[in-house]
Structure formats: C-alpha cells, structure tokens
Amino acid sequence: IPPQKIRVCVVDLSQKQIDAWNSADLPIYEPGLPAVVEECRGRNLFFSTDIDTEIKAADIIFISVNTPTKTMGIGAGRAANIKNCELCARKIAQVSESDKIIVEKSTVPVRTAEAVRRVLECNEKGLKFQVLSNPEFLAEGTAIPDLMKPDRVLIGGVQDEAGLAAAEKLVSVYANWVPREQIITTNLWSSELSKLVANAFLAQRVSSINSISALCEATGADISEISRAVGKDARIGNRFLNSSIGFGGSCFQKDILNLVYLCETYGLKECAEYWNQVIVMNDYQKKRFSEKMVSNMFNTVTGKKIAILGYAFKKDTGDVRETPSMFVVRDLVLEQARIHVYDPQVKREDMWTEMEYTVQMSEATHPGLDAAVTTSPDAYTACADAHAFAVLTEWDEFKNLDFQRIYDSMAKPAFVFDGRNLLDHAKLRKIGFEVKKRGTSEDSKRKDTTAGDENQLRSPFLFDAVVDIEVHQPSTPLETMLPTSMFALSSIRRMTPSWLSAAATHAPTLLSSPPPLHQPIRHRSNRSRRGLYDGKDVRFGNNVPFSMKKTRRRWNPNVQYKRLYSEVLDEMIRFHVTAAALRSIDKAGGLDNYLLTSPHVTTKGEGEGQKVRNRIIQKMRHKEELKKQAIARGESTDAWDDKIVLIGKKIKPQTTANADQE
Ligand SMILES: NC(=O)c1ccc[n+]([C@@H]2O[C@H](COP(=O)([O-])OP(=O)(O)OC[C@H]3O[C@@H](n4cnc5c(N)ncnc54)[C@H](O)[C@@H]3O)[C@@H](O)[C@H]2O)c1
Ligand SMILES: O=c1ccn([C@@H]2O[C@H](COP(=O)(O)OP(=O)(O)O[C@H]3O[C@H](CO)[C@@H](O)[C@H](O)[C@H]3O)[C@@H](O)[C@H]2O)c(=O)[nH]1
C-alpha cells in the first residue's frame, strides 16, 4: 500500500518482542516475512511500545492479542480467555481523544464484540466507537501468501448506518490488494462464529483422516490411497487430508474447545460432544504414535537413543505451541529414552517453555528432563548411534538427507517412524531400515496381495465363522455347529483353529502391544492385585436413608474361584476371578487372548494373571524360535503351522458355562 495512504504501527506490551521486530532477527520464522518487513519498516510500518501515543493517532485499531484457553476459573480448559481483549478496550477508552473503528482481529467467542463495545461506551469523553469483527484466516508458514491472496476477507459489523459505514471503511483498506468480490461483509456474530467454525471444520478433517489411518493399520488399506481417492471428489476436495501424528498449533485445539464451551453454555450438549470428539481423536492419534514406537522397538526404549526430526507443529514455522512432537517426546522421556531433537527453526528455550505450559513438565517437576533431551545441530548428529529416528514435522530438507550415511551411523536394527509419510520408504527399506509409517499395516498377512491365503486374518463377518467351522471341523454337521445366538457365533469365530493359527502367527504383534504410558495410580486392594479382577475392586460408600443419616458400607466384587483353560499351555489353571473378568475372557476369545491383551493384566499387574501371561509369552516365543530354526534349516514350516492348528483343535469354545467351578 502506498505509504501516503496508510501508516501502520504495531504496538505490544512486550519490549522484547518490539525490539526483535525492530532488529534483523525477527521474533518469528515465516518464509517471505523478512523481505516484507525490510521493505516497509521505517517507511509506513513501525513497531513500538508507546501504546498510548499510537492509540491516540490511529483511526482504525486492530486488537490482535492472544486469546488462550483459560487455565483456571469458570470454563477452565475450554473457554477462551478474552482478558487481553478487554484490557485493550479499556486502554482505548481511556486514552482516545477521537472517534475510532475498533477491529476484533483476535479469535474470540461469539458475542465478544458486545463486551468490547460496552467497555468502550463507558469512556467519559462521549467518543463514538464502532466495533467490527475481522477474523484472521492466515496459517503459519504460509502467512505472506495467505495475506496477499486470501480466499476471503470477512468483515462483520452492526447492521445499522454507522456500522455499515465503518465496515465499508475497512473494506476500502483491504480493497487496496484484495478483489472486492472476495471481501465478505456480514453481521458481527456470524463473523465471530465463522472463524471458530472454519477452524473446527479444518481440524475435523484432520481428525477424520487420522481416525481412518487407524482403521487402515488394522485392515491393510493404505491411508495415502484413501486420501487420494476421497480427495478427487470435488465436493470433498483434496486439502487437509494428510494423515499425521495429530494436529498442533496455537489455534485448532483452542478454537474447538472454545466452540465446545459455547455449545455447552447454550445447553447444546450433543453439539458440544460432537465437536469435542475432534480433540479426543487428536489425542488418541498422538498417543498411538508414541505407543507404536515403543512396541515396535521390542517394548522398551529405556536407555535407547531416539532421534526426533522436526519439533515445530508444521513445516516452515518455528512455532511449537501444542506441537504433537512435544507429546511424543514427553511419552518417550517417561519411558526413559534418550531423545535427540533436530528442528531447523525451533529454539530449545521455546521447547521447554511450551512443555512446562502445556504438559506441566520441567526440570523442577521431572529432574533429569534437561539431560534426557538433547537438541542437535543437524539431522546426522541427532541420528548417530540412535536406535530409531522419527519424522514428526514435514520439513522439505528431511526428504533430501543422505540416508545411507544415517543408516551406517545408527544402531541396528535401525527403525524409521515416519509420522508424516514424508520419506521414500522403498528406498529406505532397500538401505536396510525398518520403516514404520502411518496408516498402513506392517503386517504382510493384511496386505491385499495375500488375498485367498488360508491364514490371512479373518474379516469380522459372520460368514467367516461358518467357513472356519466347515474347513476345520468337517466331521461335525454344519447345522449342529451353527450357534443360535450372535454372541455365541462370534465366540466360535474367535475360537476356531484357523483364527488361532492366525493369532499364533501374529503373536509377536499381539505380545508387543505396549502398556499405556500414563496409567493413573489408583489404590487397589491386595486381593484384587492377586486375582483376575478386570478392573473391579472393593468399593466403599455411604448408605443414605431418608433421614439422611449416613452409614458407611462396602460393595464387594463378585469373585469366584475357578479353573480356566489355557490353550497355549494346555493346562487348567485356578484363578480368583470376577464375573466381569469372566465376561471379558469370553469376549477376548479365551484365557490366553485375555491375558495377552487386557490392559488390566498387561499394565496394572493382576498378579496371578501376569505370571501365567509370562509363561504363555515364553511358550509362544519358544515355538516361534523353533519355527525360525526350521526355516533356517530349509525345512518346511507346514509342520509348525500344523502343530499350531493342532493346538487350536484341542480347544473347545470356552465360555463361563464350561469353566470348572470349585
Ligand atoms: N498465530 C496464528 O497463526 C493466528 C492465525 C489466526 C488467528 N490468530 C488469533 O490471533 C490472536 C493472536 O494470536 P498470536 O498467535 O499472534 O498470539 P501471540 O501470543 O503470539 O501474540 C500476542 C501478542 O499480544 C501481546 N499482548 C497481549 N496483551 C496485550 C495488551 N493488553 N496490549 C498490548 N499487547 C498485548 C503479547 O505481548 C503478544 O506479543 C489469537 O486470538 C489467535 O487465535 C492467530
Ligand atoms: O492435512 C493436514 C493438514 C494439517 N495438519 C496439521 O494441522 C495442524 C494445523 O495446520 P494449519 O492449519 O496448516 O496451521 P495453522 O497455522 O494452525 O492454521 C490454522 O489455524 C489458524 C489460526 O486460527 C487459521 O487462521 C488457519 O486458517 C488454520 O489453517 C498442523 O499441525 C498440521 O501439521 C495435518 O495433520 N494434516
């Protein structure tokens, strides 16, 4: 914009920020920004902390302060804190000497403009202020192109003569470089809400594709192919369909929480739950990634060096607010890994500030944290001697690394966890890396190239149950095998020999599912610690009669002493077991599957269960080992597969009905 037309002064409370804006070392990294600042600074762009003077001089004031999620008080953890907006309004009302247009640029809850207007109206000089909403839609990393060629500029104002005139004045500013048809004017509340909705829709797309990536990993479909196929539909469009380790950044989570809180405030519980699920899915995606890293690295990363390539929440920015990398690093540090981070733009001090603010982790709360996380000057140093490297930000420079050099310097097996599906995986595999990417199954049995293979994992449809019965129990008439209830049918499907053979083949994957990383520590009775209680325990509470005179009472879980059959060990084993655990055992398809997969056994230490679980694991590993030796000797593995099937054949469908009761 020609200097004689418009003069812009950016004011901030922070002297440090303003000094940085006035220096050659700008406080944020944004491609193309230094050139713009250099061209305009001192001409018609200024940076200052003299807020009062600049307010007095301005015709239009943009309020662009931070509106973070509240950390305490009413709505903590969800509502946006608009304290800074109010402070700005009070300051403007206090120091202004002429009428002005106030533009809400910050992302705010709907109807914030009302609060701003009321504060401004309280000025004692009888000044007139028009409040407009003009939400910002730029994304970090592409701020300059987004500013120069925005999809739209949205301006909301009060729909009266003065409001429309103010909106028109702002339109004329943007019209200096944005085509008029892309400048939309509307009413205040719609404008404010549109911003939250736009971010919610974008984040929802990321969560949607991430949820499908989990399904792809379970089924053998490929998330990149799904994105390609779905994105070709013009009604859906191909942007924001990249599966990742979850979205980060200062906006998505904050704005969705803001939307959720608004829905709750207006009593729209279902709407609140709907949008909250976008966050739930994002948390799940982040957690899944670190869990997968641990499980793939033989269930332990203790003492292992792991390189993290990329810490910013996306490429082309140094911003680490809510970055998913932080959650992965946190999880790995809690697993006692040694982390080496390389990011071309992230400063170490910013990592720590964000970690303390968002996940409450610091050297003070977690002694040794500082030493556990090293920041490396380049990717090669980060990866040297590492057991794995994980790509967490999609920086272009990572695509062109010398991976042979990295492989040679790493401990073996050298794992690659590509959280952004950025690298050339075929090339990496050829070098020798073990590559784990998002949204595809690592399991060759799930690949569609093995279609028709007898051992491939069964699809969860009833038809398969019938096929299993037919194939493996041909002597039994089909009619007598066909169970009467859906539940029984699904139990039989789980128990059929072919399923068991598949389960045995996939034992390493089953066995390697890691314990969840952050189990809340809950008091447990000694008895529940020993038996199979499936999370149930003695509970205490009060009897509250009509007189309201409370008396203490306890509820005991329904515990029985039973003999249960382990297929792998081929033994009946006695357990103190709750009714809930018996149901879970049925659902899991037998004792072995339950012990191998139930989080109550794997992480919370059901004493008797864990001992048996360990024996099962040992026996399965032993069998795998014998099978490998047979392969090494060049013998056919059919015998082993047969043996596994044989083990399966001995098994009767085990339900609580045929468990031996003492
Ligand atoms: N970062 C983005 O990409 C982006 C994009 C669109 C919208 N937004 C929205 O813009 C707003 C600002 O976001 P941000 O990322 O720039 O935040 P930020 O925290 O990086 O910057 C806010 C600045 O405001 C200053 N400030 C706070 N209170 C002040 C006051 N009373 N007077 C003067 N200065 C004050 C702070 O010192 C800080 O420098 C938020 O509402 C955000 O949701 C951000
Ligand atoms: O297909 C995708 C696209 C994005 N992301 C992730 O989503 C997050 C947010 O990305 P992006 O939206 O590009 O960056 P932001 O700077 O947070 O921008 C969003 O938030 C701003 C602040 O409100 C809005 O102005 C922008 O319009 C909106 O895109 C990042 O972690 C990305 O890695 C994915 O995982 N997959």
Side-chain angles (χ1 to χ4, degrees):
I1 302 175
Q4 61 278 17
K5 266 191 152 176
I6 292 174
R7 175 186 178 276
V8 177
C9 185
V10 179
V11 290
D12 200 297
L13 288 173
S14 161
Q15 186 67 50
K16 192 174 157 214
Q17 287 281 335
I18 292 300
D19 288 348
W21 282 110
N22 280 323
S23 75
D25 189 14
L26 300 185
I28 56 169
Y29 172 75
E30 193 63 49
L33 183 64
V36 173
V37 172
E38 195 146 305
E39 191 191 336
C40 307
R41 192 170 49 196
R43 191 189 68 180
N44 61 339
L45 173 64
F46 302 89
F47 297 93
S48 165
T49 47
D50 188 355
I51 298 175
D52 293 10
T53 308
E54 293 302 335
I55 287 178
K56 280 181 200 154
D59 298 312
I60 302 178
I61 299 175
F62 289 78
I63 300 181
S64 317
V65 292
N66 42 333
T67 48
T69 306
K70 277 181 87 172
T71 52
M72 54 179 75
I74 299 165
R78 282 165 306 155
N81 191 340
I82 54 162
K83 171 193 84 176
N84 291 336
C85 290
E86 190 187 324
L87 286 175
C88 288
R90 287 190 185 281
K91 188 75 170 166
I92 293 167
Q94 181 200 337
V95 303
S96 290
E97 291 171 351
S98 57
D99 297 349
K100 296 181 196 304
I101 296 173
I102 310 303
V103 183
E104 219 180 49
K105 198 53 156 158
S106 298
T107 306
V108 288
V110 61
R111 300 191 79 91
T112 300
E114 173 74 4
V116 170
R117 187 184 59 79
R118 289 196 52 196
V119 170
L120 290 169
E121 270 175 5
C122 290
N123 77 83
E124 286 156 3
K125 294 163 231 163
L127 299 174
K128 294 262 171 291
F129 295 98
Q130 279 302 322
V131 181
L132 299 176
S133 158
N134 172 218
E136 180 53 63
F137 292 104
L138 70 80
E140 291 183 30
T142 52
I144 300 299
D146 290 346
L147 171 77
M148 302 310 282
K149 283 187 187 305
D151 287 344
R152 77 316 206 173
V153 169
L154 183 60
I155 297 171
V158 177
Q159 300 296 293
D160 62 13
E161 202 182 324
L164 293 173
E168 192 45 42
K169 199 155 188 187
L170 188 55
V171 169
S172 68
V173 173
Y174 281 104
N176 280 296
W177 75 96
V178 181
R180 283 247 171 191
E181 60 276 15
Q182 266 155 269
I183 306 175
I184 307 170
T185 50
T186 180
N187 62 61
L188 264 177
W189 317 141
S190 306
S191 171
E192 287 178 332
L193 189 55
S194 297
K195 171 63 193 176
L196 295 185
V197 173
N199 270 1
F201 272 47
L202 290 169
Q204 183 201 37
R205 273 173 84 92
V206 179
S207 273
S208 297
I209 201 72
N210 282 341
S211 75
I212 301 300
S213 77
L215 187 59
C216 286
E217 285 162 31
T219 58
D222 185 332
I223 196 64
S224 320
E225 295 301 306
I226 305 272
S227 299
R228 195 159 66 98
V230 171
K232 280 280 177 202
D233 188 325
R235 293 168 303 174
I236 296 172
N238 61 6
R239 297 180 67 187
F240 267 71
L241 285 180
N242 291 330
S243 173
S244 60
I245 47 171
F247 58 75
S250 63
C251 296
F252 277 1
Q253 167 137 333
K254 163 176 83 76
D255 294 347
I256 294 179
L257 288 171
N258 193 342
L259 187 63
V260 168
Y261 186 68
L262 273 170
C263 294
E264 280 175 3
T265 309
Y266 288 98
L268 305 169
K269 185 169 152 273
E270 282 75 10
C271 305
E273 276 171 10
Y274 175 79
W275 286 109
N276 194 47
Q277 197 58 28
V278 174
I279 306 271
V280 172
M281 183 50 61
N282 197 47
D283 290 343
Y284 172 65
Q285 187 75 352
K286 290 184 278 193
K287 193 156 173 280
R288 247 166 34 84
F289 188 80
S290 40
E291 287 186 357
K292 248 196 167 156
M293 283 183 76
V294 178
S295 70
N296 277 299
M297 295 172 75
F298 316 111
N299 265 337
T300 174
V301 290
T302 306
K304 289 180 183 168
K305 175 176 172 180
I306 298 177
I308 300 292
L309 301 189
Y311 199 84
F313 80 97
K314 62 187 276 198
K315 74 169 179 178
D316 292 336
T317 177
D319 197 341
V320 295
R321 288 177 286 181
E322 289 287 344
T323 177
S325 314
M326 169 178 57
F327 296 91
V328 174
V329 167
R330 174 199 63 182
D331 292 348
L332 294 175
V333 165
L334 292 175
E335 289 286 325
Q336 296 174 357
R338 293 180 295 127
I339 306 298
H340 287 240
V341 177
Y342 167 65
D343 187 291
Q345 289 299 334
V346 170
K347 297 189 184 100
R348 187 175 172 85
E349 56 181 291
D350 291 344
M351 275 172 57
W352 291 141
T353 309
E354 177 60 14
M355 212 168 217
E356 186 164 10
Y357 181 75
T358 303
V359 294
Q360 290 78 49
M361 258 175 97
S362 64
E363 183 62 26
T365 59
H366 292 73
L369 178 67
D370 203 41
V373 183
T374 307
T375 31
S376 303
D378 56 54
Y380 300 105
T381 322
C383 292
D385 297 322
H387 288 253
F389 74 80
V391 178
L392 303 188
T393 311
E394 72 282 24
W395 286 101
D396 289 334
E397 67 169 76
F398 295 157
K399 288 189 227 167
N400 304 318
L401 291 169
D402 180 348
F403 288 107
Q404 184 65 55
R405 178 178 159 195
I406 288 181
Y407 180 77
D408 293 342
S409 73
M410 283 176 68
K412 308 293 177 315
F415 287 94
V416 178
F417 297 94
D418 190 349
R420 300 281 186 165
N421 288 354
L422 179 78
L423 307 179
D424 180 343
H425 299 138
K427 191 173 132 196
L428 291 176
R429 287 201 175 101
K430 215 162 155 198
I431 292 174
F433 284 106
E434 284 223 21
V435 183
K436 312 286 172 195
K437 56 181 212 163
R438 295 254 79 177
T440 49
S441 174
E442 304 303 330
D443 185 345
S444 60
K445 290 278 187 309
R446 290 195 170 106
K447 295 251 184 302
D448 45 11
T449 46
T450 56
D453 180 344
E454 166 58 19
N455 278 336
Q456 70 178 307
L457 281 188
R458 294 275 164 210
S459 80
F461 294 111
L462 298 181
F463 183 66
D464 284 313
V466 179
V467 172
D468 283 343
I469 296 161
E470 268 186 317
V471 170
H472 294 285
Q473 311 213 5
S475 54
T476 322
L478 193 57
E479 302 83 308
T480 58
M481 290 303 298
L482 275 177
T484 46
S485 74
M486 292 273 279
F487 174 73
L489 184 57
S490 63
S491 296
I492 285 186
R493 181 183 67 73
R494 292 193 197 98
M495 298 302 295
T496 50
S498 85
W499 189 89
L500 279 166
S501 99
T505 317
H506 292 280
T509 330
L510 264 176
L511 303 186
S512 62
S513 47
L517 293 168
H518 310 288
Q519 289 300 327
I521 299 163
R522 194 165 66 87
H523 175 77
R524 300 194 41 197
S525 68
N526 282 340
R527 282 186 185 193
S528 87
R529 267 185 240 268
R530 282 197 297 270
L532 294 184
Y533 274 46
D534 204 47
K536 297 276 178 272
D537 207 341
V538 181
R539 290 189 303 127
F540 296 92
N542 291 325
N543 275 333
V544 188
F546 191 65
S547 66
M548 299 303 277
K549 197 168 176 199
K550 295 177 185 170
T551 46
R552 292 297 285 170
R553 65 156 293 188
R554 60 185 275 162
W555 289 268
N556 287 328
N558 178 2
V559 184
Q560 300 154 37
Y561 193 41
K562 280 184 184 291
R563 291 181 347 137
L564 299 174
Y565 182 64
S566 160
E567 299 123 30
V568 175
L569 301 176
D570 195 13
E571 263 179 48
M572 298 295 285
I573 304 163
R574 285 165 196 264
F575 287 103
H576 285 98
V577 58
T578 58
L582 286 174
R583 275 195 302 275
S584 299
I585 290 170
D586 274 357
K587 270 198 197 157
L591 180 67
D592 296 345
N593 283 340
Y594 173 77
L595 293 178
L596 290 174
T597 54
S598 165
H600 297 296
V601 181
T602 52
T603 62
K604 294 186 183 165
E606 304 256 355
E608 294 171 19
Q610 277 208 334
K611 274 186 220 149
V612 177
R613 179 176 188 268
N614 290 343
R615 284 176 57 208
I616 292 172
I617 293 173
Q618 265 173 10
K619 186 150 177 194
M620 290 174 104
R621 283 203 182 130
H622 181 62
K623 208 154 44 191
E624 281 294 311
E625 194 48 45
L626 291 177
K627 188 175 165 185
K628 270 191 205 144
Q629 286 171 12
I631 294 170
R633 286 195 301 272
E635 291 170 11
S636 156
T637 59
D638 292 353
W640 285 107
D641 292 337
D642 284 353
K643 271 176 208 164
I644 295 167
V645 174
L646 269 178
I647 293 172
K649 276 199 169 169
K650 281 191 209 160
I651 305 160
K652 294 186 203 84
Q654 182 177 347
T655 61
T656 44
N658 63 19
D660 247 8
Q661 183 145 12
E662 288 276 299

